[in-house]
Amino acid sequence: MTTITENAIPAPRRTVKDEMVAFAIMTALLLVVPLTGVYPFFVMQALCFALLACAFNLLIGYGGLLSFGHAMFLGTAGYCTAHALKVWGVTPELGIVIGVVAAAALSVVTGLIAIRRQGIYFAMITLALSQLLFFVYLQTPFTHGEDGIQGIPQGILFGLFNLSKPITLYYVILAGFLLGFLIIYRAINSPFGEVLKAIRENEPRAVSLGYKTDQYKLLAYILSGTLAGFAGALKVFVAQNASLTDVHWTMSGEIVLITLVGGLGTLFGPVVGAFVIIAMQQYLAGFGQWVTVIQGVIFVVCVLTFRRGVIGEIAHYFKRSL
Amino acid sequence: MSINLQALSAQLLVGLINGSFYALLSLGLAVIFGMLNIINFAHGAVYMMGAFAAYFLLNLAGIGYWPALILAPLAVGLFGMVMERTMLKWIANLDHLYGLLLTFGLALIIQGVFQNYFGSSGLPYAIPDALKGGMNLGFMFLPIYRGWVVIFSLVVCLATWFLIERTRLGAYLRAATENPTLVRAFGINVPLMITLTYGLGVGLAALAGVLSAPINQVRPLMGADLIIVVFAVVVIGGMGSIMGSIITGFTLGIIEGLTKYFYPEASNTVVFVLMVLVLLVKPSGLTGRAA
């Protein structure tokens, strides 16, 4: 039985240098985007999804746990941030903190439940838990049901940055994305990350070496959920709304798709995947339900022939780790 | 609190019907998982295809409910076998999770195509003449069709249980689940059995779809939310035992029905809440082996 990331992870020639160069290129590209005339809303949206997928990838790529319910963190943080900004009138930084704390609390609670099973059951449990939350949000008054929370004020971050100016908002979102990305990078290159990889490869062995594997998995889950919540809080400033689509299972599926296309278990894959999938949705927006069909086809093609994903294939070709 | 027996038994009946569908679907999931080591995410989509097959048979070919009860599961089962031979087969040696992702993709394709042509609204399918009307049982009015669905589903579930646990074919199947290589060495065509098993599981889902067509209308997304509830049912019951799936399915349907009467706000979520409770008390599921 090959594990889900075995053929995604290239020869273990992990060099920090390659990753640094790739990171520098990515940052440089993203810094100059506003000068190139690309629609900034699109890039900001893609960045939020990129961070979300990176958080998801931390769990599957390095912990071997497939969550089919990551939309619950996106949606929960989104609703809490949106409510705090609009109803309580808090500052943007406080709004983000409230959203992230809510997602962190949710990940502790759901993590303690979901981590009790592994593999296929873990996927089904996370999916069921997020569906439970979907119905809760459908019925509680503060989310405004089908309408969602609309027209959220963007405010002035730290009293300095006016987020209603697109260019300022862009760099704030970019800074948030880079912060989240570096936290994940630090986590997987730490002793904690190494233990996580050991658990993914051979859990009984990790147990026999004395590691409390459940605690490591729970910690990875909480970190992943919290960062997904951070992406959800940032997304509120871009979209200026919070709605049920963000908690629906189709959103969880999209997160999986983004990571699969970019490359499961690769560092930069989820970022590339996010840009590919969000761009596809933009261009095909007029085709209605065919977008769903195309997403399904991409799933099938990726699983059958392209399991390494874009970055995974590139890394495999150059025998590098990216 | 005074209990309105009429309303309570009506909700119980609805619960039993949903329980029949949970049982038929989770049974198929368990059989497929045993043989293919795949959680079939497309199960909700093939359930929907069963209902549409009955609809097409009636409206395009003039073939009524009774033949459809056999023809629709056969057709959809055949479609499932083609999927298994052309796609699922190739990922048999990979991690289980790839099976989940592949069948999720297939579900998106199937549901998306049907949504394109039929939108999201429901198409009517009439109750067959022989099952129209109802009976007055004194404490409640029983629509005959609904009673039929419960009893027929129960019979099909028990027949499947008998097929797998009590016949020679079932013995091969169980043996192949435990050790496919050894069973193959005895000259049994295991790949064919795998294909047939997938066809059986898919056919059971399609049958549930035909049964539900006159009750719930025929909609492209009728299986999309249902499958998530069935996943929770499977987590609660565990996939180790056929009888376990059947009993869990019906029981949860009844509990859901009771919730609809006593606390309707929670009727959408009660199965998920029960899943959480079971995971906290007995993580391997009520009948399941540890996984």
Side-chain angles (χ1 to χ4, degrees):
Chain A
M1 188 72 49
T2 53
T3 65
I4 196 153
T5 49
E6 190 172 290
N7 40 23
I9 298 274
R13 236 178 71 184
R14 278 195 83 90
T15 53
V16 176
K17 204 179 130 215
D18 290 341
E19 287 163 358
M20 286 295 178
V21 170
F23 182 76
I25 294 171
M26 178 182 79
T27 311
L29 280 176
L30 290 172
L31 278 173
V32 300
V33 158
L35 310 174
T36 60
V38 178
Y39 189 41
F41 178 78
F42 157 71
V43 185
M44 287 191 273
Q45 215 192 358
L47 282 176
C48 293
F49 278 95
L51 179 56
L52 182 61
C54 284
F56 165 81
N57 186 43
L58 173 70
L59 205 52
I60 173 75
Y62 299 91
L65 293 168
L66 174 68
S67 159
F68 233 104
H70 253 49
M72 65 180 153
F73 304 117
L74 179 80
T76 299
Y79 274 133
C80 291
T81 301
H83 186 77
L85 290 173
K86 189 168 180 189
V87 181
W88 299 339
V90 300
T91 55
E93 57 275 17
L94 197 57
I96 294 175
V97 169
I98 289 171
V100 172
V101 168
L106 178 67
S107 62
V108 173
V109 176
T110 54
L112 284 169
I113 298 162
I115 225 80
R116 293 172 153 256
R117 299 297 295 272
Q118 288 153 37
I120 215 92
Y121 283 96
F122 181 84
M124 290 195 285
I125 292 166
T126 45
L127 176 62
L129 288 172
S130 77
Q131 186 78 347
L132 171 62
L133 254 112
F134 175 83
F135 283 118
V136 170
Y137 288 138
L138 183 65
Q139 286 169 357
T140 44
F142 96 96
T143 61
H144 300 280
E146 303 275 354
D147 299 333
I149 305 177
Q150 307 278 352
I152 295 153
Q154 287 159 312
I156 298 172
L157 187 72
F158 301 124
L160 290 171
F161 306 109
N162 184 356
L163 298 181
S164 53
K165 278 169 69 182
I167 191 81
T168 316
L169 181 62
Y170 177 80
Y171 283 110
V172 168
I173 298 288
L174 177 59
F177 163 74
L178 291 175
L179 174 69
F181 189 88
L182 288 173
I183 291 173
I184 291 169
Y185 181 72
R186 186 72 197 90
I188 54 184
N189 285 301
S190 67
F192 165 74
E194 295 299 326
V195 177
L196 221 49
K197 277 172 253 177
I199 295 171
R200 182 194 69 197
E201 297 302 328
N202 193 338
E203 184 164 357
R205 183 130 188 222
V207 172
S208 75
L209 286 170
Y211 290 108
K212 293 196 166 64
T213 55
D214 275 358
Q215 289 180 7
Y216 280 91
K217 286 194 279 187
L218 181 60
L219 203 57
Y221 183 89
I222 293 171
L223 186 59
S224 174
T226 308
L227 285 169
F230 185 40
L234 290 178
K235 189 171 163 290
V236 167
F237 294 94
V238 179
Q240 283 183 273
N241 68 40
S243 68
L244 281 169
T245 43
D246 289 347
V247 243
H248 198 243
W249 57 264
T250 45
M251 180 61 77
S252 294
E254 246 165 62
I255 301 168
V256 180
L257 181 65
I258 285 173
T259 316
L260 186 66
V261 166
L264 288 169
T266 62
L267 195 55
F268 295 93
V271 183
V272 174
F275 277 87
V276 171
I277 298 296
I278 302 296
M280 188 197 84
Q281 283 175 349
Q282 292 266 323
Y283 286 113
L284 300 180
F287 289 89
Q289 283 307 318
W290 288 115
V291 178
T292 315
V293 178
I294 292 166
Q295 285 185 342
V297 171
I298 297 176
F299 255 109
V300 171
V301 170
C302 279
V303 172
L304 288 178
T305 65
F306 192 63
R307 281 186 289 276
R308 290 193 190 99
V310 175
I311 291 293
E313 288 291 348
I314 295 173
H316 182 72
Y317 183 77
F318 290 107
K319 297 195 169 48
R320 295 291 164 90
S321 125
L322 286 171
Chain B
M1 177 176 175
S2 70
I3 288 176
N4 178 347
L5 197 62
Q6 190 87 26
L8 177 64
S9 38
Q11 291 298 358
L12 264 179
L13 182 62
V14 171
L16 265 173
I17 287 174
N18 284 333
S20 314
F21 299 150
Y22 297 160
L24 281 170
L25 289 170
S26 63
L27 185 64
L29 278 183
V31 173
I32 291 174
F33 184 71
M35 244 351 228
L36 286 87
N37 267 324
I38 277 177
I39 283 290
N40 188 28
F41 216 127
H43 224 61
V46 291
Y47 161 84
M48 173 271 287
M49 284 178 79
F52 265 98
Y55 178 83
F56 290 144
L57 283 172
L58 184 66
N59 289 289
L60 300 180
I63 296 172
Y65 178 82
W66 299 105
L69 215 47
I70 296 170
L71 291 176
L74 272 181
V76 179
L78 212 62
F79 173 79
M81 287 192 250
V82 172
M83 283 203 303
E84 196 279 331
R85 272 292 150 115
T86 52
M87 284 178 268
L88 294 177
K89 193 180 145 189
W90 302 106
I91 57 159
N93 294 321
L94 298 175
D95 191 285
H96 303 176
L97 296 175
Y98 280 120
L100 188 75
L101 298 182
L102 179 61
T103 49
F104 180 71
L106 291 171
L108 288 184
I109 297 174
I110 297 169
Q111 278 161 1
V113 167
F114 275 88
Q115 259 187 300
N116 263 306
Y117 291 109
F118 300 97
S120 290
S121 52
L123 302 165
Y125 187 92
I127 294 175
D129 288 335
L131 299 174
K132 274 188 180 141
M135 276 187 291
N136 198 341
L137 301 181
F139 59 94
M140 73 173 290
F141 179 78
L142 173 72
I144 291 176
Y145 185 76
R146 295 180 176 236
W148 151 256
V149 168
V150 175
I151 291 167
F152 183 66
S153 306
L154 194 60
V155 170
V156 171
C157 284
L158 293 176
T160 312
W161 171 82
F162 186 82
L163 174 74
I164 289 169
E165 299 287 339
R166 292 287 182 270
T167 64
R168 179 157 287 260
L169 183 69
Y172 290 153
L173 203 94
R174 280 177 289 131
T177 306
E178 293 292 327
N179 191 338
T181 327
L182 190 65
V183 173
R184 239 179 139 162
F186 288 146
I188 293 164
N189 189 343
V190 173
L192 179 68
M193 281 181 67
I194 290 178
T195 308
L196 289 175
T197 306
Y198 191 75
L200 172 70
V202 165
L204 284 172
L207 180 68
V210 181
L211 289 173
S212 101
I215 301 176
N216 297 324
Q217 293 201 322
V218 182
R219 288 179 303 118
L221 291 181
M222 64 194 288
D225 286 338
L226 181 65
I227 189 63
I228 303 178
V229 183
V230 174
F231 279 174
V233 172
V234 162
V235 172
I236 292 171
M239 286 187 290
S241 125
I242 299 288
M243 198 48 102
S245 304
I246 300 172
I247 294 170
T248 316
F250 275 100
T251 312
L252 286 173
I254 292 170
I255 293 176
E256 208 181 49
L258 288 174
T259 315
K260 266 193 193 121
Y261 179 78
F262 287 106
Y263 188 58
E265 289 83 357
S267 61
N268 282 329
T269 48
V270 63
V271 175
F272 301 119
V273 173
L274 282 172
M275 179 195 79
V276 169
L277 293 177
V278 168
L279 282 170
L280 292 176
V281 179
K282 195 168 178 297
S284 56
L286 295 180
T287 65
R289 295 166 288 194

